[in-house]
Amino acid sequence: MRSLIRWLAVVAVLTLVCGAVYVTLQQLGRQSANDRPGELVAFALQHPDVLPGPHLDLAQDGPPFVNVYAADGTPLSGTGFLNGRLARLPRGVLDEARTNGMDTVTWQPQEGVRYAVTARSAEDRVIVAGQSLKATEVRAGQTLAYLAAGWLGSVLVVAAAFLLTGAWRFRN
């Protein structure tokens, strides 16, 4: 019975290690999705004359966008559009940026569409940039599939060793 518990402990450790690796890689991927929006906000602050640009439909998980919001949260200009109008971010994101200088969030403007968004205060405006999380989420799914396959292979090796060594036989 003790040998069965040892083998089950090995499987439990494998499961914990694979789970920890997945969570770590998933979080690193999600955090790196903030890099591009942060760069775009910095660029927009240095070059305010560049906006507006092409109209990007955020529902289509398009390229990164940059929008400018007034102090009251009204969109002034930018490239990120939803339903034919400049996208409106939740008021709390804009308030947080005005209060603390910056805010970084995951924003879901509609079902199935998610963006990594950076908002930064600039005088009486808030500059917001965002990037679709679709590619990040696809990579997270691939990582999960690879780790699940590795975990399953490891469990099969452990089970085979358990069976081949005869450790499953109960001895008195």
Side-chain angles (χ1 to χ4, degrees):
M1 186 66 155
R2 266 187 242 154
S3 56
L4 175 62
I5 291 171
R6 275 189 230 125
W7 289 103
L8 290 175
V10 169
V11 170
V13 168
L14 284 170
T15 302
L16 289 172
V17 168
C18 286
V21 168
Y22 172 72
V23 168
T24 300
L25 293 174
Q26 188 271 340
Q27 284 300 303
L28 284 171
R30 173 56 191 89
Q31 290 174 8
S32 69
N34 293 334
D35 295 345
R36 185 71 176 137
E39 293 166 357
L40 289 171
V41 165
F43 181 82
L45 287 169
Q46 293 173 357
H47 307 285
D49 54 317
V50 173
L51 290 176
H55 291 203
L56 305 171
D57 183 5
L58 300 184
Q60 301 302 315
D61 287 316
F65 73 93
V66 178
N67 285 359
V68 178
Y69 295 83
D72 66 356
T74 304
L76 298 174
S77 64
T79 60
F81 284 74
L82 276 172
N83 303 317
R85 299 170 60 191
L86 280 167
R88 289 188 171 270
L89 259 75
R91 182 71 186 216
V93 174
L94 302 173
D95 291 344
E96 181 72 18
R98 272 192 295 283
T99 302
N100 295 315
M102 190 170 105
D103 194 17
T104 304
V105 298
T106 298
W107 175 48
Q108 183 170 336
Q110 61 188 44
E111 188 66 34
V113 178
R114 292 172 19 104
Y115 279 83
V117 172
T118 298
R120 195 157 157 203
S121 180
E123 299 169 13
D124 62 340
R125 303 167 295 145
V126 176
I127 310 291
V128 174
Q131 170 178 298
S132 172
L133 287 172
K134 189 172 199 105
T136 301
E137 291 168 344
V138 166
R139 279 191 299 275
Q142 291 170 336
T143 300
L144 180 60
Y146 296 146
L147 282 168
W151 173 84
L152 181 59
S154 298
V155 168
L156 291 174
V157 168
V158 168
F162 180 70
L163 293 172
L164 291 173
T165 62
W168 54 274
R169 291 192 186 109
F170 297 109
R171 297 184 185 111
N172 290 332

